[in-house]
Each structure stands twice: as structure tokens, then as C-alpha cells.
Amino acid sequence: YPSGDIPGEYRWRPLVVEWMGGFRVFRTFIFPLASVGVVRRMLLFVCFVVSSLFALPFVGGVDVVWVANPNVVGVFPGLVYAFVKGCPLVLNVDDLWPEVLYDLGLGRGSLVGRLGGFLAGFAYRVADAVTPISPGYVGVICGKYGVPRDRVCVVRAGVDLSRFKVGGGSKSGGFRVLYSGAFSVAYDFDQVLLAAKLLENAEDVEFVLQGGGELADYVKARVRELGLRNVRVVDRILSRGEVAELLGGADALILPLRDFGRPYLGISSKLYEYQAAGKPIICCADGQPAEYVGETRSGVVVKPGDYGALAEAVLYLRDNPDVARELGFNGREYVRDNVSVERVGFEMKRILEEVKGAIRSC
């Protein structure tokens, strides 16, 4: 709950059991705090690590424990479950810890940085298998933390294609560029807003920024400061269906990752949803996201922070609709053939079965 607004049926409840899609789900206690700043995030992580054990007496037989988020500290309750249930442990890696903390400004030599490195090394080595979502993580997990390569299996984030339909773009007749996701420090909204400033006289170009998070107030203040009339901020969290509809109404989708001085090793799951919507992507990043967009021929890549190049990319896609359609088509075809939830699910199922049988061949 990024804003800390927990629904009443779960708020302050130590344990809630419900059924979703034929699965029994245990929801455990979490503090009603906004996920803002490193300290609060750590507090929320620790809270979940403890409360996730509340369900232990009610869980029946287990074949494999799969730890997702928070992936490093989450390994500790995972180990408890694996020990009690007598089964192997698989650790998923969405964000590469503690490297993600370094990107947020925590020094490697700081106490938090050293502690993060120690916890990461323990978590990666103790797991029976590690499933990072990006191939860029493999070198760090194996090289820096000493995990054998045959225990590391890349499983990309998947996308539910049934939720995303290829829409016809903006119904206003203009060219709409959309960002949808968290307003977090990982993204460079100044690059987007300064590009919008350059294009303020292009009356048919509109920027839409949708999401919620710690930078929401900053983004809205910058829009007012720059006097931008071609930027609309939708400051609220949408359902997955609403997000799919919003993506379908755009003409281009933007991923404005912040420049932290090193290439990105991860790949945002946002990219797969963007591709599923059949829209061209403007990827402002170095590293894995840029390589992925280039390899799948699904968008245009510009340097992070270069708002002039971003403005040029917007005009290029606006003025070349055939190219834009082809890029969007390429992205949709790629995710259909490679990272649909069905394909990713079967790949994960294969890995879990191999781990259960003590066969590790990735």
C-alpha cells in the first residue's frame, strides 16, 4: 500500500484468510504507513517479515517455499517455513539488493550498506535456487556473492495479455505521451517536464503522468512552476483494468529512469505492460532496459536526463505514425511469444519442480 491507505477489512488485523481465484490467501499485519523514505520502507519490510509468520500454524503441506518481496529480508521467514515444512527454498529477485540502496544514495561503506551486503550474501547463498527477473542480475549474484551459476535461473516478469487490448490512441486527435506507475525517486520526472516545456507550442502533444507516491507533490509543484499547460497529472492509484484502459488511450509510453551514474541492471515490469498495450516506448535509460527495448524493436531509446532528445523522440513518433505502429506491434508480439503469464508460469513451475526433485539445470 504505497500511500499507507490500507482497506478497513485488513487494517490493524493480525491475520485475514480469504480465497482469490481458487487460492487460499493469508493477509498479515502491516503498519498503515506511506512507503516514503528508506527508514519507513525498512520498517514496513521488518513488519512484514515478522507478521508473515502469523500464518505458519494454518498452512498445510508445502512442496517449495518461494520468497518474493522483500526478497532479501524475506528470506528469514522463508527459512522458518522451509525448516518447519521440510522443503527447499527459492528466492526471487525483483530488485537487486543492496545495490538498489546504493542507487538511492546510501554509501557502500555506511553501516546500512555493509549490513545490506551481508544480508544479501546470506540470502542468495542460503537459497536452494535464485530466480532473478533480469539477466543483468546474474553477474552480481554469482560473481559478487558467490552463488553457483547452476542455482540461478532467470525468470522474467510476466504480463497478462488478456488485460491489455491494443487501443486506438488518444481520442482527442492529439498525440498523448503517457507515464503510468509510481512517483518514486527511481524516475526522472524533471526530464519529462522539461521536454514538455520544449514542446509547449506543439499544441497537439499532451503529456499525462499517472500514479502515486512520494514525489507526487513535487511533480505537481514543478508543473505549476514551469507553467505547463500540456501536462496533466493523475495523482491516484488505478486498478489494473483502469491502467490497461489508460495505456490503450495513449499514443506513446515513456519510461524515464533516473541517471544514477551506472547502467541499470534490472528491467521494470512496466515495460512488459507497455508492450502488451501495443504502443511504442520511449525508454530513457542505459543498461538492461535500453538493451531490451532495442532487442525487441519496440521503441526509441534516449539517454537518461537528456530532455532535448526526449522531445525529439516524441516528435519523431508523432510525425512517423507507421513507425510508431510497427514498434507497438513488435512489442505486443514479443510479450505474447515470450513473457505472457502462461509462459512465465510454466517456466517457474518447471524450476520449482526441479528444485523439489533436487535437479538444478537452468
Side-chain angles (χ1 to χ4, degrees):
Y1 303 100
S3 64
D5 185 17
I6 299 177
E9 60 267 34
Y10 309 130
R11 195 178 182 91
W12 299 112
R13 300 281 298 277
L15 182 68
V16 176
V17 183
E18 60 187 12
W19 289 85
M20 297 177 62
F23 292 92
R24 187 169 54 149
V25 177
F26 296 89
R27 294 181 181 268
T28 60
F29 174 78
I30 197 78
F31 290 119
L33 297 174
S35 181
V36 178
V38 174
V39 174
R40 285 197 175 192
R41 286 195 180 96
M42 292 301 103
L43 181 59
L44 290 168
F45 287 169
V46 171
C47 177
F48 177 74
V49 164
V50 174
S51 71
S52 60
L53 294 172
F54 294 174
L56 183 58
F58 308 100
V59 174
V62 176
D63 294 307
V64 181
V65 172
W66 184 66
V67 176
N69 278 314
N71 47 50
V72 170
V73 292
V75 78
F76 294 102
L79 282 171
V80 174
Y81 275 90
F83 175 77
V84 172
K85 301 300 180 180
C87 63
L89 173 71
V90 177
L91 178 64
N92 194 59
V93 183
D94 283 340
D95 295 314
L96 189 62
W97 286 68
E99 281 68 22
V100 67
L101 297 179
Y102 303 152
D103 289 341
L104 294 176
L106 293 178
R108 295 173 185 268
S110 68
L111 177 61
V112 175
R114 293 197 301 272
L115 178 61
F118 172 78
L119 292 178
F122 174 79
Y124 296 140
R125 288 191 294 269
V126 77
D128 294 277
V130 182
T131 55
I133 66 168
S134 170
Y137 293 165
V138 175
V140 177
I141 293 172
C142 296
K144 180 178 179 179
Y145 296 107
V147 179
R149 180 62 184 85
D150 63 353
R151 285 168 51 192
V152 180
C153 313
V154 176
V155 182
R156 295 183 183 271
V159 61
D160 185 354
L161 286 171
S162 67
R163 289 182 177 270
F164 295 89
K165 307 299 180 185
V166 180
S170 174
K171 297 179 181 179
S172 64
F175 190 83
R176 179 177 296 168
V177 183
L178 170 70
Y179 167 83
S180 178
F183 290 151
S184 76
V185 295
Y187 299 100
D188 186 358
F189 296 104
D190 279 317
Q191 181 180 7
V192 180
L193 298 179
L194 291 174
K197 186 67 175 179
L198 292 178
L199 298 175
E200 60 183 347
N201 293 324
E203 296 181 357
D204 59 338
V205 176
E206 177 191 25
F207 290 81
V208 178
L209 307 177
Q210 177 273 319
E214 58 192 298
L215 293 184
D217 290 339
Y218 172 81
V219 171
K220 289 185 288 187
R222 283 290 281 163
V223 170
R224 292 192 298 269
E225 178 185 335
L226 295 170
L228 297 172
R229 293 173 295 177
N230 58 346
V231 176
R232 180 161 55 93
V233 179
V234 182
D235 178 18
R236 64 187 182 94
I237 304 297
L238 303 180
S239 68
R240 304 315 302 158
E242 290 174 320
V243 168
E245 184 177 353
L246 188 66
L247 297 182
D251 297 288
L253 304 171
I254 184 170
L255 182 72
L257 290 169
R258 187 176 298 279
D259 184 5
F260 287 110
R262 62 177 67 87
Y264 267 81
L265 298 177
I267 297 180
S268 170
S269 58
K270 190 188 320 296
L271 278 179
Y272 305 125
E273 293 188 347
Y274 280 6
Q275 290 178 316
K279 305 295 178 179
I281 298 167
I282 304 176
C283 179
C284 308
D286 287 322
Q288 286 290 319
E291 292 176 16
Y292 176 78
V293 170
E295 290 169 359
T296 57
R297 296 178 292 114
S298 57
V300 179
V301 175
V302 301
K303 289 290 183 181
D306 190 341
Y307 58 89
L310 173 55
E312 292 176 3
V314 170
L315 294 179
Y316 172 75
L317 293 174
R318 182 201 64 177
D319 297 337
N320 295 273
D322 290 340
V323 173
R325 279 192 294 271
E326 181 180 359
L327 294 174
F329 175 82
N330 291 342
R332 174 81 181 189
E333 291 291 291
Y334 183 86
V335 295
R336 185 198 67 186
D337 295 339
N338 296 276
V339 291
S340 67
V341 288
E342 293 83 6
R343 286 184 175 272
V344 170
F346 280 118
E347 176 64 9
M348 182 61 74
K349 180 175 180 288
R350 179 190 68 81
I351 292 169
L352 296 178
E353 288 177 340
E354 290 182 348
V355 172
K356 179 187 174 184
I359 304 172
R360 304 184 182 96
S361 57
C362 303

